[in-house]
Amino acid sequence: MIGMAFSRDDIPDLTGKLAIVTGSNSGTGYETALALAARGGEVVIAARNADKAKAAIHRIKAAHPTASLQFEALDLASLASVNAFAERCLDQGRSIDILINNAGVMALPERKVSDDGFELQMATNYFGHFALTARLLPLLKAGQARIVQLSSIVHRRGHIRLDDLNHQQGYKPWPVYAQSKLAMLMFAMELDRRSQANGWGLTS
């Protein structure tokens, strides 16, 4: 809608709400965690680098001393790390109100693979977040969560190469990144469709 703008002031009071933000030690993830914490949300900084995550928590607390934040190790390029993170959440049993699937890598100049053998951009940006969301689904349903998949305008250039998702042939940085962001957008739309069809109560 023309003329409509969204600001942090539009975020409702999140006191008592649990939010998980992946890759939130820097960039858009950090800004998201900062905004959610400022509105009273309990924010999990889910990231690979503990030192950077703790520095991010320190900066947020400097701006908002009463903010509730914690660091949890999560490497989206490792399915073992994704599973371990999810198991810790499931063991705690607390419902999740917000999941922001933000972490990602962009346009790596050379093809790299994850610990599991997948092309690294698809592994981090899409496969890891897909697995994370699926493993956390019971807690997300319990919280009737809002789930956000970070896509990009570059999705318009994306093409899902079903015969070679890992781009073992003809790797090019931007087309592969675009594929991962198109996959994230498709995931967001399909998750919302399935939630509505099955009464899961999620907003994707």
Side-chain angles (χ1 to χ4, degrees):
M1 291 183 287
I2 297 174
M4 297 295 289
F6 179 85
S7 74
R8 293 183 182 186
D9 294 334
D10 294 305
I11 300 174
D13 178 31
L14 298 177
T15 301
K17 303 290 187 181
L18 177 63
I20 296 173
V21 186
T22 69
S24 44
N25 58 329
S26 63
T28 56
Y30 171 80
E31 295 297 335
T32 300
L34 174 64
L36 296 177
R39 299 299 295 157
E42 298 178 39
V43 182
V44 175
I45 306 291
R48 291 180 299 172
N49 189 302
D51 290 337
K52 290 182 179 180
K54 291 173 183 177
I57 289 173
H58 179 76
R59 293 199 307 274
I60 294 173
K61 280 188 169 289
H64 304 285
T66 61
S68 177
L69 304 116
Q70 70 180 81
F71 163 68
E72 285 288 345
L74 175 63
D75 181 357
L76 271 299
S78 166
L79 292 178
S81 177
V82 170
N83 188 62
F85 176 90
E87 283 297 323
R88 294 195 298 273
C89 293
L90 290 165
D91 285 345
Q92 292 175 6
R94 184 174 175 186
S95 61
I96 299 169
D97 301 285
I98 302 169
L99 173 62
I100 311 288
N101 286 330
N102 164 83
V105 293
M106 182 173 70
L108 299 177
E110 296 182 359
R111 183 180 182 274
K112 296 183 179 180
V113 297
S114 69
D115 292 345
D116 305 289
F118 301 120
E119 187 280 317
L120 194 58
Q121 293 190 80
M122 277 295 282
T124 305
N125 300 354
Y126 175 61
F127 292 145
H129 282 126
F130 182 94
L132 177 67
T133 304
R135 292 286 284 114
L136 294 178
L137 201 55
L139 302 180
L140 295 166
K141 289 179 181 179
Q144 294 194 316
R146 177 180 293 272
I147 305 167
V148 177
Q149 317 292 348
L150 264 289
S151 186
S152 163
I153 196 170
V154 79
H155 83 271
R156 295 176 179 176
R157 295 165 50 190
H159 171 74
I160 307 298
R161 190 191 283 187
L162 294 176
D163 59 343
D164 186 13
L165 278 175
N166 287 310
H167 279 255
Q168 293 177 308
Q169 304 295 324
Y171 175 87
K172 293 182 180 179
W174 284 105
V176 175
Y177 178 68
Q179 174 184 246
S180 74
K181 289 301 173 179
L182 176 58
M184 288 292 278
L185 188 60
M186 293 170 67
F187 178 31
M189 296 174 71
E190 180 63 13
L191 179 59
D192 196 70
R193 187 191 70 79
R194 294 197 181 205
S195 174
Q196 293 187 41
N198 295 286
W200 293 347
L202 306 175
T203 302
S204 173

